Amino acid sequence: MKNNQPLFSVLIANYNNGKYLMEAIESVRQQTYTNWEIILVDDASTDNSKELYKELEKDNRIHIYYNDSNKGCGYTKRRCAELANGEICGFLDPDDALLSEALQVMVEAHKNHPEASLVYSQHVISDANLQNRTQPIGSPLEEGKTYLESTKGGPTLFATFKRQLYIQSGGISTIYKRAVDQDLYLRLEEVGDIIFVKQALYIYRQGTGQNISLGAINEWKALCWDMYARIEACIRRGVEIDNAAFLQILNQMNEISAAAALAKEKEIRVSKAYLIGRLLLKPFRWIGK
């Protein structure tokens, strides 16, 4: 700790996000809170990331480590947390960014809530250029309910935690390929309180060109891992694996189904086959009139 200012470890698990990585790093460098480090673990990237590391390693606040092969999200994020030196930690995805007061606000919140294992904030969604941002998104847990039970609210993108309590929780499971954050939040809830900060501190980047159909498939995969994390949490806590623990899952299933149907309709309407078909049928529609 420096001048009563705890070290904050910004954790970045990177795999082939060289296109946006420097913007994520720069958002940390522009923080109003200055006692920070970056722990970056590269999961065997094949893009230009390693070229960027040569420049980043000149900054003694940035520590870069490498997996010897592609290990997946759970393994890589766990390694980030294990390598951290800070009293407080938080993950930053390499294609996202922090708003300038993010670390300062989180450090103060942790100081004010020593019983909290996890403090999370609101976030905004932007386009691929970090512009056209939405209104703040995020809300507290339902009053009187745990994160496991709650069907709305709860930790989102910028969730920071006390490293000692993270260690006490047992840490992120290495087997998770998706829903790694859900595993983290559920574990942290078991060793401390969850605190909500009503302020947008994180920018989530959308519009990076991901295929619509692939996005829907990934959401279903994430949902399966989410359910697995909840089952594991129920077992750890010795509670019934009943409907209460899965109401959020059911809500998510409905949302994904509706979103996937809408996305598929939009995808069809812009396809070449659909447009050619409309062109060919145009004379017949005119005759019909």
Side-chain angles (χ1 to χ4, degrees):
M1 184 181 294
K2 182 172 67 176
N3 298 325
N4 198 33
Q5 298 297 299
L7 179 65
F8 193 113
S9 295
V10 178
L11 311 178
I12 301 178
N14 182 48
Y15 176 67
N16 286 348
N17 266 299
K19 182 177 180 180
Y20 302 112
L21 178 61
M22 295 305 286
E23 288 179 290
I25 298 291
E26 192 58 31
S27 77
V28 181
R29 285 174 166 159
Q30 292 177 2
Q31 290 296 301
T32 58
Y33 189 83
T34 58
N35 193 22
W36 54 263
E37 67 171 3
I38 291 175
I39 301 294
L40 189 155
V41 177
D42 183 271
D43 195 21
S45 293
T46 57
D47 66 352
N48 68 325
S49 293
K50 290 183 180 179
E51 293 301 313
L52 300 176
Y53 299 155
K54 294 176 183 178
E55 180 65 28
L56 292 174
E57 285 174 333
K58 296 176 183 178
D59 189 333
N60 60 15
R61 299 169 298 178
I62 301 175
H63 312 288
I64 301 174
Y65 304 88
Y66 301 86
N67 291 341
D68 55 11
S69 61
N70 185 258
K71 302 288 190 179
C73 189
Y75 179 96
T76 306
K77 284 196 168 185
R78 182 183 176 96
R79 192 171 180 214
C80 283
E82 288 174 344
L83 292 165
N85 302 295
E87 295 174 51
I88 303 171
C89 304
F91 284 100
L92 169 62
D93 283 348
D95 55 349
D96 294 337
L98 297 177
L99 289 162
S100 62
E101 295 183 346
L103 302 189
Q104 183 71 57
V105 171
M106 284 301 189
V107 167
E108 292 303 317
H110 276 282
K111 285 183 179 179
N112 293 334
H113 298 278
E115 77 288 353
S117 55
L118 184 150
V119 179
Y120 71 100
S121 74
Q122 293 179 308
H123 66 276
V124 294
I125 298 175
S126 76
D127 61 21
N129 299 312
L130 296 180
Q131 302 300 316
N132 300 314
R133 298 171 187 174
T134 64
Q135 292 298 309
I137 298 168
S139 59
L141 288 168
E142 291 180 87
E143 189 172 352
K145 290 190 176 182
T146 66
Y147 180 54
L148 181 64
E149 299 166 332
S150 181
T151 58
K152 59 183 178 181
T156 53
L157 296 168
F158 195 41
T160 66
F161 52 94
K162 293 181 176 69
R163 186 163 61 92
Q164 285 303 316
L165 290 177
Y166 168 83
I167 293 170
Q168 187 177 325
S169 77
I172 296 167
S173 172
T174 59
I175 70 169
Y176 281 75
K177 302 299 182 183
R178 303 172 191 273
V180 176
D181 293 340
Q182 298 294 358
D183 179 45
L184 172 64
Y185 305 156
L186 289 164
R187 289 175 182 274
L188 286 169
E189 182 180 52
E190 293 160 16
V191 295
D193 292 345
I194 295 178
I195 300 297
F196 170 64
V197 173
K198 191 177 181 181
Q199 182 177 344
L201 302 176
Y202 190 100
I203 307 172
Y204 175 73
R205 189 197 304 261
Q206 277 192 340
T208 55
Q210 184 184 45
N211 178 273
I212 293 173
S213 298
L214 182 60
I217 291 170
N218 285 340
E219 285 194 73
W220 282 111
K221 289 179 179 178
L223 190 63
C224 291
W225 280 105
D226 189 312
M227 184 173 289
Y228 183 70
R230 290 174 180 278
I231 291 172
E232 281 205 317
C234 286
I235 294 170
R236 285 195 306 270
R237 300 181 193 190
V239 301
E240 291 285 338
I241 305 176
D242 58 13
N243 291 337
F246 298 111
L247 285 176
Q248 191 177 72
I249 295 290
L250 296 174
N251 289 340
Q252 286 179 281
M253 288 175 67
N254 290 332
E255 290 173 7
I256 292 173
S257 295
L262 180 61
K264 191 63 179 177
E265 181 181 347
K266 289 181 178 178
E267 196 172 49
I268 290 171
R269 287 183 177 277
V270 298
S271 68
K272 288 183 179 180
Y274 180 82
L275 295 174
I276 292 171
R278 282 183 61 86
L279 184 64
L280 291 173
L281 290 172
K282 189 173 183 179
F284 296 98
R285 290 200 299 271
W286 183 80
I287 294 170
K289 292 180 180 179

